[in-house]
Amino acid sequence: MSRIYALANQKGGVGKTTTAINVAACLAEAGVGVLLVDFDPQANATTGLGFRPPRGRSTYDLLHGSTMRDIIVETSIPGLHLAPAHPDLAAAAVELPDRDDRERLLGAALATVGDEYPYVLVDCPPSLGMLTLNALAAANRLIVPVQCEYFALEGLAQLLETVELIRARVNPQLALTGLLLTMHDGRTRLSADVAREVRSHFGPKVFSSVIPRSIRLAEAPSHGQPISRYDPRSSGADAYVRVALEVVERG
Ligand SMILES: Nc1ncnc2c1ncn2[C@@H]1O[C@H](COP(=O)(O)OP(=O)(O)OP(=O)(O)O)[C@@H](O)[C@H]1O
Ligand SMILES: [Mg+2]
């Protein structure tokens, strides 16, 4: 069975997309087939890999009869395929609630590509709305990026409560793989304090690897490349290789 990861945190700008792109690229470069599903109307994972899908060829079209296979594109990284998003996906918030398959749409779409991809990563928008619920209903694993800033813990309790609800009602398979500390700035006490606090709350559920704050990581998407291509010798590239290894090891 494929490992399907939702990258979720309703807090915005915490590193969900950066983590989705770079972990997906590292896994593909290690030789496993990966499907990255962009399920955010901002389409940052899509543009960050150098794509702009035309109307009719994005995850939005899964709502209107397209299959996963219809929309998947190959990326410049061998083994990494992308189901791109289009800003039209914003309409899903309005359209999905009226449908019988409202939380199951993404899961059903993924089932049609079956075991072709050992790893599937779903990049979620910054909310606990219908799109994130679909991702949590489709996934069997969850990665929660947590930015090393004040208020980092805020919202985590609500996110984990939502996960419990989904497990109880829709998807008992869903398990928390881990929380990932992102944008860690080794020079500040704040980063160290937040990292300590998150570890004291969540213990071994926190990835041992930490993603440093790195300008190279922030630049890479404007070149349509993962960090492993844009600057493979950077600290950010190194950190994401470690995280990808941990993702594999955590099972
Ligand atoms: N480790 C990092 N160091 C420096 N900048 C980073 C790092 N990780 C992400 N960024 C930058 O921070 C911003 C937010 O990151 P990202 O888009 O990955 O977060 P997100 O959680 O997906 O945001 P959203 O909630 O809007 O989807 C982006 O401009 C990104 O390039
Ligand atoms: Mg994002």
Side-chain angles (χ1 to χ4, degrees):
M1 200 172 83
S2 310
R3 295 187 184 189
I4 305 178
Y5 295 87
L7 284 109
N9 187 338
Q10 75 274 35
K11 226 167 132 49
V14 297
K16 295 180 287 294
T17 303
T18 304
T19 300
I21 290 176
N22 291 303
V23 169
C26 287
L27 292 169
E29 282 162 353
V32 291
V34 184
L35 174 63
L36 174 56
V37 178
D38 192 346
F39 220 47
D40 180 357
Q42 298 180 96
N44 294 150
T46 303
T47 48
L49 283 170
F51 289 87
R52 265 177 212 288
R55 279 226 153 88
R57 285 282 187 163
S58 73
T59 45
Y60 172 67
D61 301 290
L62 299 173
L63 276 77
H64 297 284
S66 294
T67 65
M68 239 340 147
R69 238 178 271 280
D70 293 333
I71 64 165
I72 287 173
V73 290
E74 292 184 11
T75 70
S76 60
I77 314 293
L80 174 58
H81 292 184
L82 170 72
H86 185 280
D88 282 350
L89 185 60
V94 185
E95 295 177 26
L96 276 170
D98 291 335
R99 296 169 60 122
D100 291 338
D101 63 349
R102 65 185 80 86
E103 306 117 342
R104 304 269 190 191
L105 183 98
L106 179 62
L110 281 174
T112 65
V113 289
D115 297 335
E116 279 168 53
Y117 300 97
Y119 287 82
V120 176
L121 277 69
V122 183
D123 187 29
C124 295
S127 85
L128 288 177
M130 291 306 306
L131 294 169
T132 298
L133 291 185
N134 261 268
L136 295 175
N140 42 38
R141 291 166 173 79
L142 168 66
I143 295 173
V144 182
V146 177
Q147 188 181 357
C148 293
E149 290 292 345
Y150 198 58
F151 297 135
L153 286 166
E154 206 162 273
L156 281 183
Q158 195 195 358
L159 174 60
L160 297 177
E161 269 167 37
T162 305
V163 168
E164 279 316 311
L165 267 176
I166 300 258
R167 281 164 54 85
R169 299 206 188 146
V170 191
N171 178 14
Q173 315 287 338
L174 181 64
L176 174 65
T177 296
L179 291 91
L180 175 64
L181 294 163
T182 64
M183 296 183 235
H184 184 272
D185 185 341
R187 296 164 308 180
T188 68
R189 227 182 100 179
L190 179 61
S191 273
D193 287 350
V194 171
R196 192 175 326 106
E197 201 183 346
V198 172
R199 288 196 193 282
S200 81
H201 268 77
F202 295 100
K205 277 292 169 195
V206 186
F207 280 83
S208 341
S209 325
V210 171
I211 304 300
R213 184 171 280 285
S214 140
I215 188 73
R216 306 300 273 166
L217 280 172
E219 288 167 353
S222 65
H223 298 263
Q225 289 180 328
I227 193 68
S228 54
R229 282 284 168 86
Y230 179 63
D231 190 350
R233 291 167 190 275
S234 62
S235 60
D238 188 53
Y240 272 113
V241 168
R242 286 168 206 268
V243 170
L245 268 173
E246 253 189 89
V247 166
V248 173
E249 282 166 2
R250 283 181 176 238

